[in-house]
Amino acid sequence: MRRVVKVLALLLVTLVVVPAGSAVAAEDNRPLVRVGTEGTYPPFSFHESGSNKLTGYDVEVIKAVAKKAGWRLKFVETTFDAIFAALDADRIDVIANQVTDNPEREARYGLSDTYTYSRGVIVVKTGTKGITKLSDLKGKTTAQSLTTNYAELARKAGAKVEGVEGFAQAAALVVQGRVDALINDNLAALDYLNTTGSDDIEIVGTAGDEVSQQKLVFRKDERQLLKQADDAIAALKADGTLARISEKYFKIDVSVQNSGQADLSGGRATRSDADIIKDAAWPMFRALLIATIPITIISFALGLVLAVAAALANISGNRILSAIARVYISVIRGTPLLVQLFIVFYGLPELGLDLPPWPSAVLALSLNVGGYAAEIVRSAILSVPKGQFEAAATIGMGYWQALRRIVFPQAARTAVPPLSNTLISLLKDTSLLSVVLVTELFREAQIAASAAQTFFPLYLTAALYYWVVCALLAAGQRRIETRLDRFVAR
């Protein structure tokens, strides 16, 4: 009873505090602008090691633009390969992530005035021979973010492109010999070399003579925001603000063309793996508690309801219900979860159903669980001898009463092991949710890894968190099986 009272009190406090906070926020009449950025792309958009604060050149530029334009900002982090889909689906209002101008983007989006000039460079493993220019990449393999200009540049040069999320991952593949090279911004490459102190990779040439121009990206219909951004950028160039931000990160002014080569000496200091893990452990654990586990529990509960409904419909005598259930199960089992997440989050808004990140994640995961668990539930129900239904009928039980009191308890013993496997798989599948803007456990690991340019210890820590939770779930499964076995005649 005390627990119930505490829960009710907590809910009451939440109901009182949240509206109060909302009222305070409502007093700010400035328009809210949602900014899409990676958060894993140093030195442009990343989280500071230790404080975990989102910072970087692009982050400071958009904050300065917002101050001039009179905007309130909300940062939304996602992978670069999903960032344009988020803009198209009205999940964000502007992209601030070193987006390079090209004719296709110019035709499809509203691009601001240029705020960064840079050059593409070719990076290889130190000592690699035979790659110094774009034409040398023909028949080779490069690592790129798939929707960047550099990926298209590599394809045109005849290279095979492997998709990655950021420079650090691409560099790791080059060092490991899994790809031959990467093409990226010279500023990002120099920052990586300076930050890591690595001599495993080297810049061997430029990706053509063309100077890249980076711009803020809006939807075509956001003309007012685009005009405000252009005015703000012009003002920031005139008063020297852009120059100061540039010099803070690059020691030169990259907001003007032909500014020379950036000097990134004295950049972010490297730290030991122990310090990196210590700083990242709490944000990862917090994401596990407030995102990964709650989403798993809610999605599994809803998915189990869908599974029971689909299983009963499938074995019913109604042809229409049976057909609907079979199509649902076939579609879910025949399509990848990642595709389902993209359809729910980025596709449904085009049909008028615009769900926030959390509900979108729960919906996609619940539908996925329902499709897979439906066959488990169906086989468990069919494993109960038909004579049990007949015996229930002879003592006056109806169909639903027989299911609830006779069939389901017996079917549960058969269904628990495979359903437990489904639950464990669901927990691990939450690692995909960063594509729908949910910051869960693995996303925190990616953020920390990109900031520290260190992968193995952080991903190993994330794996440890997943393993511990899965081990606890497996232990719970064994306890449930033991309890159910007590009622089985020997």
Side-chain angles (χ1 to χ4, degrees):
M1 185 64 183
R2 288 183 178 179
R3 290 184 179 179
V4 175
V5 172
K6 286 181 179 179
V7 172
L8 291 176
L10 182 60
L11 290 174
L12 181 60
V13 170
T14 303
L15 291 172
V16 171
V17 172
V18 171
S22 302
V24 172
E27 294 176 1
D28 192 339
N29 294 321
R30 294 176 301 165
L32 177 65
V33 176
R34 299 163 297 173
V35 183
T37 192
E38 281 183 274
T40 57
Y41 186 29
F44 304 106
S45 172
F46 64 99
H47 287 257
E48 288 182 346
S49 297
S51 68
N52 206 37
K53 175 186 176 184
L54 180 65
T55 188
Y57 174 69
D58 280 32
V59 174
E60 293 202 24
V61 168
I62 194 64
K63 284 182 178 179
V65 168
K67 186 175 181 180
K68 289 285 187 183
W71 301 339
R72 287 185 296 129
L73 295 184
K74 177 183 178 182
F75 287 94
V76 179
E77 297 178 45
T78 185
T79 62
F80 191 82
D81 294 334
I83 208 166
F84 285 95
L87 184 66
D88 292 337
D90 196 22
R91 302 292 185 181
I92 57 176
D93 303 304
V94 58
I95 300 173
N97 204 87
Q98 285 295 290
V99 177
T100 302
D101 185 11
N102 65 28
E104 293 78 14
R105 289 172 182 163
E106 188 75 45
R108 184 176 177 85
Y109 300 102
L111 303 183
S112 73
D113 291 337
T114 304
Y115 68 93
T116 310
Y117 294 90
S118 64
R119 290 181 179 274
V121 292
I122 302 171
V123 179
V124 300
K125 185 176 182 178
T126 301
T128 299
K129 305 296 183 183
I131 300 179
T132 58
K133 55 187 183 296
L134 277 175
S135 58
D136 295 332
L137 295 176
K138 186 174 182 180
K140 306 292 186 181
T141 303
T142 68
Q144 319 288 157
S145 293
L146 295 178
T147 53
T148 62
N149 277 8
Y150 298 123
E152 185 61 27
L153 197 63
R155 292 189 189 98
K156 288 181 178 179
K160 176 185 176 183
V161 175
E162 294 289 349
V164 295
E165 288 188 10
F167 186 93
Q169 288 187 13
L173 293 179
V174 171
V175 172
Q176 294 164 8
R178 298 182 179 182
V179 299
D180 300 297
L182 68 89
I183 305 174
N184 211 305
D185 186 276
N186 66 316
L187 301 178
L190 290 169
D191 178 76
Y192 175 86
L193 291 171
N194 178 67
T195 301
T196 61
S198 172
D199 57 3
D200 294 327
I201 61 172
E202 60 181 341
I203 299 173
V204 292
T206 59
D209 298 326
E210 187 175 334
V211 176
S212 299
Q213 301 181 39
Q214 283 73 43
K215 303 181 177 184
L216 303 176
V217 184
F218 299 84
R219 287 184 297 277
K220 274 289 188 182
D221 57 359
E222 293 287 3
R223 295 184 180 87
Q224 183 177 0
L225 289 180
L226 178 58
K227 176 65 167 55
Q228 292 171 348
D230 286 341
D231 292 343
I233 290 172
L236 294 171
K237 286 183 178 180
D239 66 16
T241 300
L242 278 186
R244 287 193 295 273
I245 297 174
S246 296
E247 288 166 2
K248 173 181 176 180
Y249 286 92
F250 309 115
K251 304 298 189 291
I252 58 168
D253 183 4
V254 299
S255 65
V256 295
Q257 198 167 356
N258 300 322
S259 55
Q261 179 149 304
D263 175 14
L264 296 172
S265 59
R268 303 187 308 281
T270 57
R271 299 179 303 142
S272 69
D273 288 350
D275 289 336
I276 292 169
I277 294 174
K278 181 181 178 181
D279 289 337
W282 168 243
M284 291 165 65
F285 184 66
R286 181 180 58 199
L288 176 68
L289 292 181
I290 67 175
T292 299
I293 291 177
I295 289 176
T296 299
I297 293 172
I298 297 170
S299 300
F300 185 75
L302 295 177
L304 196 56
V305 173
L306 289 174
V308 172
L312 293 176
N314 199 359
I315 62 179
S316 70
N318 189 307
R319 292 184 178 181
I320 296 177
L321 289 178
S322 181
I324 292 173
R326 290 177 182 178
V327 170
Y328 163 61
I329 293 169
S330 177
V331 169
I332 292 299
R333 297 173 68 184
T335 55
L337 174 58
L338 187 60
V339 174
Q340 295 166 17
L341 285 166
F342 268 85
I343 290 173
V344 169
F345 192 67
Y346 298 110
L348 291 185
E350 297 181 13
L351 302 178
L353 184 57
D354 189 355
L355 298 175
W358 262 59
S360 295
V362 169
L363 175 60
L365 292 176
S366 299
L367 290 172
N368 186 268
V369 169
Y372 279 94
E375 289 297 272
I376 296 173
V377 174
R378 182 180 69 86
S379 62
I381 292 174
L382 293 179
S383 69
V384 178
K386 291 184 179 180
Q388 297 291 311
F389 274 105
E390 296 170 359
T394 60
I395 60 175
M397 286 188 180
Y399 177 75
W400 293 107
Q401 191 178 17
L403 279 177
R404 182 172 60 86
R405 302 191 64 178
I406 304 297
V407 177
F408 283 163
Q410 296 182 67
R413 181 172 173 272
T414 304
V416 163
L419 285 178
S420 298
N421 289 337
T422 301
L423 175 59
I424 290 172
S425 296
L426 173 63
L427 176 78
K428 294 181 290 185
D429 286 342
T430 59
S431 60
L432 298 173
L433 296 184
S434 63
V435 301
V436 296
L437 314 184
V438 174
T439 302
E440 37 63 53
L441 168 58
F442 187 63
R443 176 64 177 174
E444 286 288 358
Q446 290 178 307
I447 289 171
S450 67
Q453 306 288 3
T454 302
F455 294 93
F456 181 74
L458 289 168
Y459 291 162
L460 190 63
T461 303
L464 178 63
Y465 278 130
Y466 283 116
W467 175 74
V468 169
V469 178
C470 289
L472 292 174
L473 291 175
Q477 171 193 334
R478 288 192 292 271
R479 287 182 62 87
I480 294 173
E481 288 183 33
T482 301
R483 289 181 63 87
L484 292 175
D485 282 343
R486 292 188 304 171
F487 303 104
V488 178
R490 299 296 182 184

